[in-house]
Amino acid sequence: MRARDLVDARYAEPLRVDDLARTAGLSRAHFSREFKRAFGESPHAYLLTRRLERAAALLRSTDRSVTSVCFAVGLRGVGSFTMSFTRAYRMTPTAYRASFPPAASRAIVPSCVVRVYGRPKRRTFREDGQPESD
């Protein structure tokens, strides 16, 4: 569970099976066997799945380039990212993004920004105490 939690929290970092085994306090081979028995997939496959899920979320909700998304989720090659993504989602990252509305159409503007820009530009009172001249 500690190794899985580590993958979930730090998927974008360069994690190796040795790092995960050390976190679990097991040898690499024993850790790999036990991880697969417990979660149904190898540690590497689990890490790749987490990265691809996060990449899909970024493609749906941002306008970042495919290359930027690839590197943001911890993958190091756009070609292998595209192949893995296509295998998992049955379409390329670009086609996946195109199947959703543009991120800009769903941009949420924080209420503090709305208040600042929603204020009247021309004040009806003087703050410096000097009378207005017309």
Side-chain angles (χ1 to χ4, degrees), residues 41-74:
E41 59 187 339
S42 71
H44 177 72
Y46 185 83
L47 176 59
L48 181 60
T49 300
R50 287 296 153 263
R51 287 175 171 170
L52 292 176
E53 287 172 352
R54 182 63 183 142
L58 289 172
L59 289 168
R60 284 190 311 268
S61 63
T62 69
D63 291 330
R64 295 171 79 171
S65 69
V66 172
T67 304
S68 173
V69 168
C70 169
F71 294 135
V73 299

Side-chain angles (χ1 to χ4, degrees), residues 51-52 54-71 73 75 77-100:
R51 287 175 171 170
L52 292 176
R54 182 63 183 142
L58 289 172
L59 289 168
R60 284 190 311 268
S61 63
T62 69
D63 291 330
R64 295 171 79 171
S65 69
V66 172
T67 304
S68 173
V69 168
C70 169
F71 294 135
V73 299
L75 296 169
V78 178
S80 61
F81 165 64
T82 301
M83 285 178 43
S84 297
F85 192 93
T86 302
R87 197 175 310 123
Y89 289 91
R90 301 190 190 277
M91 62 178 76
T92 65
T94 305
Y96 183 83
R97 168 177 279 150
S99 68
F100 291 92

Side-chain angles (χ1 to χ4, degrees), residues 21 30-31 43 60 67 75 84 112-113 120 130:
H30 186 62
F31 168 74
R60 284 190 311 268
T67 304
L75 296 169
S84 297
C112 60
V113 173
Q130 296 178 1

Side-chain angles (χ1 to χ4, degrees), residues 1-8 15-48:
M1 291 300 290
R2 283 182 289 202
R4 191 188 74 176
D5 291 345
L6 178 67
V7 169
D8 291 343
L15 295 172
R16 300 175 322 189
V17 175
D18 290 334
D19 300 327
L20 301 175
R22 191 175 318 109
T23 300
L26 300 171
S27 71
R28 178 188 168 115
H30 186 62
F31 168 74
S32 292
R33 279 192 305 274
E34 290 302 311
F35 191 96
K36 186 166 185 164
R37 189 175 62 79
F39 300 110
E41 59 187 339
S42 71
H44 177 72
Y46 185 83
L47 176 59
L48 181 60

